[in-house]
Amino acid sequence: MNIQTRSRAQHPALQYEAKAFVYCPICTHTVEGIVVATGKTAKVKPGQKCSRCSAALDPAYIMRMDRAA
Ligand SMILES: [Zn+2]
């Protein structure tokens, strides 16, 4: 039996960046971007541009986080 214990997953104040798919409301496409995750919440990293329409990705929605670090 394989029982995975993930006790190390709790890092309350740890902030890290991850790749994610974000939804650009300007061109209504999902593009890759960097998000900053803090605890259980994640926000799109400011200052990025949409790869399709070059608009700021600040108001983009996070669709899916890429778990691979
Ligand atoms: Zn866009």
Side-chain angles (χ1 to χ4, degrees):
M1 259 202 227
N2 284 327
I3 300 172
Q4 290 188 339
T5 51
R6 300 231 165 183
S7 54
R8 292 191 68 226
Q10 290 182 345
H11 291 284
L14 184 67
Q15 199 176 54
Y16 65 97
E17 293 183 5
K19 266 206 307 188
F21 289 98
V22 296
Y23 174 80
C24 173
I26 311 300
C27 66
T28 67
H29 277 97
T30 303
V31 295
E32 266 192 48
I34 303 294
V35 296
V36 180
T38 309
K40 288 181 180 176
T41 58
K43 283 192 287 188
V44 178
K45 188 181 181 183
Q48 294 181 99
K49 280 185 178 180
C50 174
S51 59
R52 283 179 176 267
C53 69
S54 294
L57 277 181
D58 294 31
Y61 302 102
I62 298 169
M63 303 298 285
R64 188 166 67 81
M65 293 265 298
D66 195 344
R67 282 176 171 228

